[in-house]
Amino acid sequence: MTVSLIDRLSGLVGNAFAEAGLDAGFGKVQVSDRPDLAQFQCNGALAAAKQAKQNPRALGEQVAAILEKRDELADVSLAGPGFINLTLTDAYLAGIADEIAGDDRTGAWVSPAPKTLVMDYGGPNVAKPLHVGHLRSAIIGESLKRLMRLAGDDVTGDIHLGDWGKQMGQLLMQVKREMPDLPYFDESFDGPYPAQSPVTLEDLARIYPVASAVCKADKERNDEARRATSDLQAGRPGYRALWQHFVRVSQEGLRREYADLGVTFDLWKGEADAHPFIAPLIEQLEAQDILEESEGARVIRVAREDDKKEIPPLIMISQDGSVLYGSTDLATIMDRKQSLDPDLILYVVDARQSQHFEQVFRASDKMGLFPEERLEHLGFGTINGPDNKPYKTREGDALPLRVLLDQMKAGAIDRVTASLSGKGYSSEELADISAKVGMAALKFADLSNPRTTNYIFDLDKFLSFEGKTGPYLLYATVRIKSVLEKAGSVIDDAPVMIVEAAERDLVLALAGFTPAMQAACDKRMPHILCDHAYTLAQAFSKFYANCRINDEADDGLRQSRLKLAATTGRQLELVLATLGIDVPERM
Ligand code: ARG
């Protein structure tokens, strides 16, 4: 399908406007606000009448009279001040269904102007376990990556590991306290350093919170850590070698955690990989006379006259000579521009970091590195606890992702066991189904909320088999599979017939995929795709309840219904896969 149903109808109504001597652009069609009255509507007569200084109702009637002659339309009527209501003939709709069925993408939208993109998501930090905030970045970023690839964009996903900030110096100094005799701290040691890491992932998870607490409480220890950070960045060999171990050990753990989530990155680069770009960046900034001194630091001023709130300068080099979060982000833009030359760079990061990105984007624009219109911060809201505040541990830290995943896993096992045990499933299959149900619950709950809003983590609601949930969608998809299995085979070229209202509605729902996917891509909003999945699953439910499928006596009708079921199943699986949700074989 290259042109969606809604675009075809807009073209058709546009032609009618043109025939009436008006701009074809007024023909834009949308799904009807009143599905009880019509399937589609066009509101263009109102604007057209205003422009042509005519009566909207009269003009609407004129356009409607032209449209009435079209074979595609079963009914054209005028409502209110001049809305044109449209209902398609079943024959035309059946043809649309045949087309969607014949498309191996079941109507997935194709971008007319594919782009090269970098998707920066994940953003975990070395030595720190993933927390709930990283979950949203991973889930939303992964689904946007899949969505845009499906549309035809060339997307490179980059994890952008936090491996270069002040916590690195804090870790180095804490390890030094605990194991002072390691060669990494001996300045006279001339290598080679041990290949084996002196710390494990568990060690890091224990050391990091200690290190950070000490530095917060003790100024001397904090200064020491800051010096260590700047020595590390300046290339002190022992620090670099030990830091390499931190990064490698952390990466191993992170790879496992992301694999459990079904999230993959093309690039495992980190802030440190941008370091070689810092010197050329500074050189360019100096040549452009953009860098300013401020309290011992070197900064880029990014405030603008019309700013409603104050935007502080971006600090490129701190007082003690180290680079910070903003400088590595700016240097990373230089790296990406040189290595990937993207049209756009998208950052899927907590909305609370909006000021940071505003500073980086403006600095990039100001120095002519990469225009700010091609840098987008796709912020997301927080996952909240029952008190509707960001989910925290009792100690007040962000909740570790493990804790949340374990809760979800336990809940899914309970739910699945309650509904499936004693029905002939092996324990391995039950475990597989539970894992998929848990992931679907978590991902769908996250993605179905508009990206920018906060939501409350509500295990029972997310795991429910009814309502707008991941498990419901899995259930609907699996039910389709079982209908098809019972039938044995589906004849692809059997023509679709529309007899019942539920069949009509199912075809309309299938045709809604293309515009939903286009809107989800354009707005970078996966929840629009979630809405479509739910609408489609509900339409199938109604179809299943109202129409005989396998036991329909009329052969042609049975084939038509099987084909509709198969097409719905394929589209639903494609949408779920794009959301990062795996479907079990049966449940
Ligand atoms: N490591 C950061 C954090 O945990 C997120 C990094 C996001 N990406 C970026 N390019 N700044 O807050």
Side-chain angles (χ1 to χ4, degrees):
M1 285 260 289
T2 42
V3 184
S4 70
L5 172 59
I6 203 121
D7 286 346
R8 283 184 222 190
L9 293 178
S10 297
L12 198 135
V13 179
N15 285 342
F17 272 95
E19 211 174 297
L22 295 148
D23 193 304
F26 290 120
K28 214 171 150 29
V29 166
Q30 62 189 66
V31 170
S32 172
D33 297 334
R34 290 284 306 274
D36 52 324
L37 296 181
Q39 295 164 345
F40 297 93
Q41 69 187 63
C42 168
N43 302 344
L46 281 76
K50 201 165 178 192
Q51 196 190 61
K53 298 202 172 63
Q54 287 184 30
N55 175 304
R57 209 152 160 115
L59 196 146
E61 264 156 23
Q62 195 189 343
V63 174
I66 298 170
L67 285 171
E68 262 161 26
K69 294 187 215 116
R70 301 289 313 214
D71 295 341
E72 296 90 339
L73 299 171
D75 190 53
V76 182
S77 66
L78 219 56
F83 303 117
I84 305 170
N85 279 338
L86 307 165
T87 296
L88 304 174
T89 62
D90 287 341
Y92 181 67
L93 257 188
I96 294 288
D98 284 328
E99 252 185 81
I100 297 173
D103 177 5
D104 56 9
R105 300 159 51 91
T106 62
W109 180 66
V110 181
S111 167
K115 293 193 164 61
T116 302
L117 308 172
V118 175
M119 187 88 66
D120 180 320
Y121 66 107
N125 299 306
V126 162
K128 288 204 251 181
L130 294 182
H131 61 68
V132 278
H134 295 120
L135 180 72
R136 294 212 76 186
S137 181
I139 294 180
I140 298 169
E142 180 73 21
S143 78
L144 285 173
K145 180 185 78 180
R146 293 179 185 206
L147 177 67
M148 293 174 135
R149 279 190 182 155
L150 183 60
D153 292 324
D154 176 355
V155 189
T156 302
D158 185 0
I159 190 166
H160 199 69
L161 208 59
D163 59 1
W164 210 227
K166 65 170 197 278
Q167 69 274 30
M168 294 302 119
Q170 297 178 350
L171 268 180
L172 288 169
M173 290 303 96
Q174 187 60 28
V175 172
K176 185 178 175 187
R177 290 264 145 166
E178 297 188 12
M179 296 176 252
D181 298 331
L182 290 176
Y184 308 97
F185 306 112
D186 176 0
E187 278 198 85
S188 62
F189 185 80
D190 55 5
Y193 293 100
Q196 182 72 25
S197 172
V199 287
T200 63
L201 193 59
E202 291 68 38
D203 294 333
L204 286 178
R206 178 188 57 78
I207 296 172
Y208 177 73
V210 177
S212 116
V214 183
C215 291
K216 230 174 246 157
D218 185 336
K219 181 167 179 322
E220 225 161 276
R221 293 284 299 272
N222 192 44
D223 287 344
E224 182 190 66
R226 279 168 49 174
R227 276 195 303 277
T229 305
S230 84
D231 288 348
L232 167 74
Q233 292 182 353
R236 183 168 155 165
Y239 287 4
R240 285 277 177 122
L242 181 53
W243 168 83
Q244 277 289 349
H245 285 306
F246 296 162
V247 174
R248 218 170 300 138
V249 163
S250 292
Q251 275 202 20
E252 270 168 39
L254 288 170
R255 276 184 202 273
R256 272 196 304 273
E257 290 196 86
Y258 281 108
D260 286 351
L261 288 172
V263 171
T264 55
F265 299 95
D266 304 293
L267 296 178
W268 276 76
K269 285 195 158 188
E271 295 166 0
D273 290 295
H275 202 69
F277 296 88
I278 295 287
L281 211 53
I282 301 286
E283 211 171 287
Q284 181 181 335
L285 287 164
E286 276 172 346
Q288 293 171 314
D289 211 11
I290 290 178
L291 222 44
E292 291 180 35
E293 299 286 327
S294 169
E295 298 167 38
R298 310 192 73 190
V299 306
I300 305 175
R301 289 195 194 284
V302 293
R304 289 174 183 163
E305 259 173 30
D306 53 355
D307 283 343
K308 294 207 174 57
K309 63 173 195 305
E310 198 191 319
I311 307 281
L314 180 88
I315 305 175
M316 274 304 287
I317 306 285
S318 74
Q319 290 159 320
D320 41 53
S322 38
V323 297
L324 306 178
Y325 188 40
S327 13
T328 54
D329 257 326
L330 198 59
T332 303
I333 296 178
M334 188 179 249
D335 182 4
R336 289 171 177 163
K337 181 178 160 182
Q338 290 182 11
S339 57
L340 301 160
D341 190 24
D343 299 309
L344 291 171
I345 307 179
L346 310 181
Y347 299 81
V348 185
V349 183
D350 195 318
R352 291 170 294 182
Q353 293 196 22
S354 67
Q355 177 174 293
H356 163 77
F357 286 106
E358 189 65 51
Q359 291 173 303
V360 171
F361 296 172
R362 286 184 183 195
S364 164
D365 199 83
K366 184 170 180 176
M367 68 182 292
L369 175 61
F370 201 84
E372 59 182 326
E373 315 79 66
R374 286 162 47 198
L375 298 165
E376 292 178 32
H377 172 207
L378 309 181
F380 52 78
T382 53
I383 302 181
N384 292 352
D387 58 353
N388 204 14
K389 301 231 170 67
Y391 219 148
K392 295 238 162 79
T393 60
R394 225 170 294 156
E395 292 72 41
D397 303 316
L399 193 73
L401 182 55
R402 266 286 135 231
V403 176
L404 193 120
L405 290 181
D406 286 346
Q407 277 180 26
M408 184 51 90
K409 208 167 152 187
I413 290 174
D414 284 353
R415 189 58 50 99
V416 169
T417 318
S419 70
L420 295 185
S421 71
K423 292 191 179 161
Y425 291 84
S426 69
S427 56
E428 291 86 55
E429 194 172 3
L430 282 180
D432 175 67
I433 295 171
S434 303
K436 285 178 174 150
V437 163
M439 263 311 148
L442 189 71
K443 289 185 176 178
F444 194 80
D446 193 283
L447 294 170
S448 58
N449 281 290
R451 168 167 59 72
T452 43
T453 60
N454 307 333
Y455 70 88
I456 294 178
F457 187 78
D458 183 344
L459 201 59
D460 285 336
K461 189 170 122 199
F462 299 172
L463 277 168
S464 169
F465 279 73
E466 276 145 48
K468 197 174 171 184
T469 68
Y472 167 73
L473 288 168
L474 292 189
Y475 181 69
T477 312
V478 167
R479 184 162 61 186
I480 298 173
K481 287 191 193 195
S482 92
V483 168
L484 296 169
E485 212 163 282
K486 217 183 266 168
S489 65
V490 176
I491 302 171
D492 290 337
D493 52 9
V496 166
M497 300 179 215
I498 293 175
V499 181
E500 299 284 340
E503 287 168 305
R504 197 173 294 127
D505 289 344
L506 181 58
V507 175
L508 287 169
L510 284 165
F513 179 31
T514 322
M517 181 175 157
Q518 177 174 7
C521 276
D522 285 350
K523 301 188 173 126
R524 291 91 164 92
M525 288 286 201
H527 79 273
I528 300 174
L529 210 55
C530 293
D531 289 346
H532 170 68
Y534 184 55
T535 306
L536 183 63
Q538 279 183 307
F540 186 82
S541 253
K542 237 178 71 197
F543 165 77
Y544 184 78
N546 290 299
C547 303
R548 290 169 179 278
I549 305 177
N550 278 311
D551 51 3
E552 167 57 49
D554 183 283
D555 199 43
L557 195 52
R558 185 176 66 254
Q559 291 306 337
S560 159
R561 287 180 178 164
L562 282 170
K563 184 168 151 182
L564 280 180
T567 308
T568 305
R570 280 165 54 214
Q571 192 182 85
L572 213 43
E573 274 202 89
L574 177 59
V575 171
L576 291 176
T578 305
L579 296 171
I581 296 174
D582 291 334
V583 183
E585 274 313 305
R586 50 177 201 154
M587 62 189 264

